[in-house]
Amino acid sequence: MSNHKITGVFSAATTPLNADGSPDLGLFTEHCQRLLSEGCHGVALLGTTGEANSFSLAERRTILEAALKAGVPAENLLPGTGVAAIPETIELTNHALSLGVTKVVMLPPFYYKGVSDDGLFNAYFQILNRVNDSRLRVILYHIPQVSGIAISIPLIGRLIDAFPETVVGIKESAGDFNNMQAIISAHPGFSVLCGADPLLLPLLKAGGAGCITATSNLVASSLRTVYDNVFDATRAAQVDKAQERINAYRTVSNSYAQIPAIKAMVGLKTGDSAWKRTRPPLVALNDAEYAALSENYAQLP
Amino acid sequence: MSNHKITGVFSAATTPLNADGSPDLGLFTEHCQRLLSEGCHGVALLGTTGEANSFSLAERRTILEAALKAGVPAENLLPGTGVAAIPETIELTNHALSLGVTKVVMLPPFYYKGVSDDGLFNAYFQILNRVNDSRLRVILYHIPQVSGIAISIPLIGRLIDAFPETVVGIKESAGDFNNMQAIISAHPGFSVLCGADPLLLPLLKAGGAGCITATSNLVASSLRTVYDNVFDATRAAQVDKAQERINAYRTVSNSYAQIPAIKAMVGLKTGDSAWKRTRPPLVALNDAEYAALSENYAQLP
């Protein structure tokens, strides 16, 4: 894994809300610090799990600034900066860079569907050409089931050719292990990070770089155990046990609407039910769901 | 149709670009004025055909302001104001209202897919509750093949109940005539506007309110002929001829990538090839496509 420019366990951090729907910056930065102390190499804030696209550009900037102000090191933050409009993706990326945050996860423009690789290449080309900062490291974001936009292997190749120092990895959130293997095989050294926790172990064995997952909001230490010991045969039992724990949490969260459930479970873990809130169009768990989730949660290892 | 709060032929106006990709405000306002002079009741700028979600909020505000400054009456403008983040939809809607533009076409938040009617209701509720301006008239925007989000008939009913003076219509761009009829039947007086030109005639006969279409960028006068004469049996021949002309243009534009083709055809109509440009992720027609389109165009009635 040593040839990867980005490697590790990253948390697709959720964003807690105040009662008025604004981001709860205090609770959020506390969460970032907890994730790092539990073993995450970094916090991939403002992604899909973080409800980034439900926040205004101003709110997104404020959330990133709050994490830095609270002392989270810039090198441990990987904000999402890709939105539907190229000028705003440029704005968010430049904002991150202006704060010393050089690693970003970048969705392609996601309003139009069925767009061509040429169109997506042109979009990323304009963005990276205009940002034009040699410090920048971009993780492409492939989550077609939400964004509606797939990032193909040939497109990745064109982007690596055009920006070899900048386009360094992909978050593969389709959960398609064959696709992950094909990307690794087509583009050696390009960092493939999975979005699905159960795939971390096989992905690392296949030459992948790590993960950016939602369940890490709850079980970061177990993900770190897997990451650190995957190639140590003497610790296979610990790795298997950690993987079982991760899978158990994931099974529970995925029995409900996933993002609201992850948020509610962070609340159960930390004892602060403010975590239950979501911003529309997501809907918080109702009382019956929350009661059932709480029972499930109490059984988890 | 007299009980409709919004009725007529509205153009889903395309947005021309300068060579640097910025909106060409002069060409755009000229286009708005031409559309009105050709018979459009209004210009539904900054929709899907207008590449709205590829522009920043600042660019969207500038485009609307430019149309007003050029003398396009506020009452003839129906900008799209719905984006992924609720605070920004509020901001764009308030901006329009601040300029005296009271009719808007509003997409639901479109990043997350598979969201519930509850979540969409909560989103629209927060937006309309916070805007809270009795002048506002909202046309909901149903274009699931692009936005990924359907607006169901029960959801429409809940929104009408909550905001009876404000939520007055829907742009049905799925092209599903059964759905249009079902909406009219479920919600009498609620204005159904189709996004597909061939449906204008049957929709008006079925009690619909009009259309917001892309082909109107090219054949607004023919759409107006259909609209004005649909219930006059003595002018059935003129109506049929107008509808045939509309369909012919639509058939040509839909033989290519639709939005780039519509833009190129506006360029062929007006003699300004600057119209060919699109913003990524859309891709302008290539030379061969443009040559073929030009030949097709020359044959059109």
Side-chain angles (χ1 to χ4, degrees):
Chain A
M1 288 179 291
S2 57
N3 61 342
H4 285 302
K5 287 183 183 142
I6 292 187
T7 173
V9 169
F10 302 99
S11 179
T14 57
T15 314
L17 302 176
N18 293 306
D20 68 358
S22 62
D24 185 330
L25 301 175
L27 213 50
F28 178 70
T29 55
E30 196 180 281
H31 185 53
C32 292
Q33 284 157 331
R34 180 171 52 245
L35 292 170
L36 293 175
S37 74
E38 287 182 359
C40 285
H41 294 92
V43 178
L45 67 165
L46 292 166
T48 300
T49 305
E51 297 174 86
N53 288 309
S54 298
F55 294 110
S56 68
L57 298 194
E59 288 173 323
R60 293 168 76 127
R61 287 191 298 263
T62 302
I63 289 167
L64 178 58
E65 287 166 14
L68 289 162
K69 263 183 218 149
V72 181
E75 65 185 47
N76 297 121
L77 292 170
L78 299 81
T81 62
V83 295
I86 288 175
E88 295 182 336
T89 298
I90 293 170
E91 184 184 331
L92 287 173
T93 305
N94 279 334
H95 173 257
L97 287 162
S98 75
L99 300 169
V101 173
T102 59
K103 297 182 284 282
V104 304
V105 182
M106 198 182 283
L107 276 169
F110 53 78
Y111 181 66
Y112 293 104
K113 307 304 185 293
V115 296
S116 65
D117 273 9
D118 281 347
L120 296 174
F121 178 81
N122 293 345
Y124 277 118
F125 186 88
Q126 281 198 7
I127 293 161
L128 298 181
N129 215 29
R130 291 186 190 178
V131 170
N132 191 26
D133 188 316
S134 63
R135 296 173 299 160
L136 181 64
R137 299 291 175 267
V138 171
I139 299 169
L140 307 172
Y141 193 1
H142 174 72
I143 183 167
Q145 71 276 29
V146 182
S147 66
I149 306 293
I151 296 179
S152 73
I153 294 177
L155 174 61
I156 296 168
R158 290 173 67 182
L159 290 168
I160 294 172
D161 287 347
F163 303 98
E165 298 301 316
T166 306
V167 176
V168 299
I170 190 164
K171 179 178 181 196
E172 208 290 5
S173 288
D176 178 348
F177 195 68
N178 290 333
N179 186 41
M180 296 179 205
Q181 287 178 303
I183 298 171
I184 292 167
S185 163
H187 305 300
F190 184 73
S191 299
V192 177
L193 300 145
C194 62
D197 319 75
L199 297 179
L200 175 59
L201 185 57
L203 179 63
L204 290 170
K205 287 183 174 168
C211 67
I212 305 180
T213 74
T215 317
S216 63
N217 284 284
L218 303 160
V219 291
S221 61
S222 297
L223 285 158
R224 182 62 185 263
T225 298
V226 172
Y227 180 87
D228 284 344
N229 300 292
V230 56
F231 297 114
D232 182 350
T234 68
R235 298 180 63 85
Q238 287 96 322
V239 168
D240 286 348
K241 195 176 162 195
Q243 188 66 58
E244 275 169 35
R245 180 165 180 259
I246 297 160
N247 295 353
Y249 276 76
R250 182 180 160 90
T251 299
V252 168
S253 69
N254 287 8
S255 308
Y256 303 85
Q258 191 205 12
I259 298 170
I262 292 278
K263 294 185 89 165
M265 289 165 83
V266 175
L268 290 166
K269 173 172 174 157
T270 60
D272 190 335
S273 64
W275 271 104
K276 284 184 346 189
R277 300 182 186 118
T278 59
R279 185 173 277 198
L282 300 187
V283 179
L285 301 186
N286 64 34
D287 290 347
E289 289 166 332
Y290 186 68
L293 175 72
S294 304
E295 277 190 42
N296 296 150
Y297 185 84
Q299 312 292 321
L300 284 167
Chain B
M1 289 179 290
S2 59
N3 60 342
H4 285 302
K5 287 183 184 143
I6 290 186
T7 173
V9 169
F10 302 99
S11 180
T14 58
T15 314
L17 301 177
N18 294 306
D20 68 357
S22 62
D24 185 330
L25 301 175
L27 212 51
F28 178 70
T29 57
E30 198 180 280
H31 185 53
C32 292
Q33 283 158 331
R34 181 172 50 246
L35 292 170
L36 294 175
S37 73
E38 286 182 357
C40 285
H41 294 92
V43 179
L45 66 165
L46 292 168
T48 301
T49 305
E51 297 174 86
N53 287 310
S54 299
F55 294 109
S56 68
L57 297 194
E59 289 174 321
R60 293 168 75 127
R61 287 192 298 263
T62 301
I63 290 167
L64 179 58
E65 287 167 14
L68 289 162
K69 265 184 214 147
V72 181
E75 65 184 46
N76 297 122
L77 291 170
L78 299 81
T81 62
V83 294
I86 289 174
E88 296 183 334
T89 298
I90 293 170
E91 184 183 332
L92 287 174
T93 305
N94 280 335
H95 173 257
L97 287 162
S98 75
L99 300 169
V101 173
T102 59
K103 297 184 285 279
V104 305
V105 182
M106 198 181 282
L107 278 168
F110 52 78
Y111 180 65
Y112 293 104
K113 307 305 184 293
V115 296
S116 65
D117 274 9
D118 281 348
L120 296 175
F121 178 81
N122 292 345
Y124 277 118
F125 186 88
Q126 280 198 8
I127 293 161
L128 299 181
N129 214 29
R130 291 186 191 179
V131 170
N132 191 26
D133 188 317
S134 64
R135 297 172 300 160
L136 181 64
R137 299 291 175 267
V138 171
I139 299 170
L140 306 172
Y141 194 179
H142 174 73
I143 184 166
Q145 72 274 29
V146 182
S147 66
I149 305 294
I151 297 178
S152 75
I153 295 177
L155 173 61
I156 296 168
R158 289 172 68 182
L159 290 168
I160 294 172
D161 287 347
F163 304 98
E165 298 301 317
T166 305
V167 177
V168 298
I170 190 164
K171 178 177 181 196
E172 208 288 8
S173 289
D176 178 346
F177 194 68
N178 290 334
N179 186 41
M180 297 180 204
Q181 288 178 303
I183 297 170
I184 292 167
S185 163
H187 305 300
F190 184 73
S191 300
V192 177
L193 300 146
C194 61
D197 320 74
L199 297 179
L200 176 59
L201 186 57
L203 178 63
L204 290 170
K205 287 183 175 168
C211 67
I212 305 179
T213 74
T215 317
S216 63
N217 285 284
L218 303 162
V219 293
S221 62
S222 299
L223 286 157
R224 184 61 185 263
T225 297
V226 172
Y227 181 86
D228 285 345
N229 300 293
V230 57
F231 297 113
D232 181 350
T234 68
R235 297 180 63 85
Q238 286 96 322
V239 167
D240 286 348
K241 197 176 161 195
Q243 188 66 59
E244 277 169 32
R245 180 165 181 258
I246 297 158
N247 295 353
Y249 276 77
R250 182 180 160 90
T251 299
V252 168
S253 68
N254 287 8
S255 306
Y256 303 86
Q258 192 204 12
I259 298 170
I262 292 277
K263 295 185 89 167
M265 289 165 84
V266 175
L268 291 166
K269 174 173 174 154
T270 60
D272 191 336
S273 64
W275 272 103
K276 284 184 347 190
R277 300 181 186 119
T278 58
R279 185 174 277 198
L282 300 188
V283 178
L285 301 186
N286 64 34
D287 291 347
E289 289 167 332
Y290 186 67
L293 176 71
S294 302
E295 275 189 44
N296 296 151
Y297 185 83
Q299 313 291 321
L300 284 167

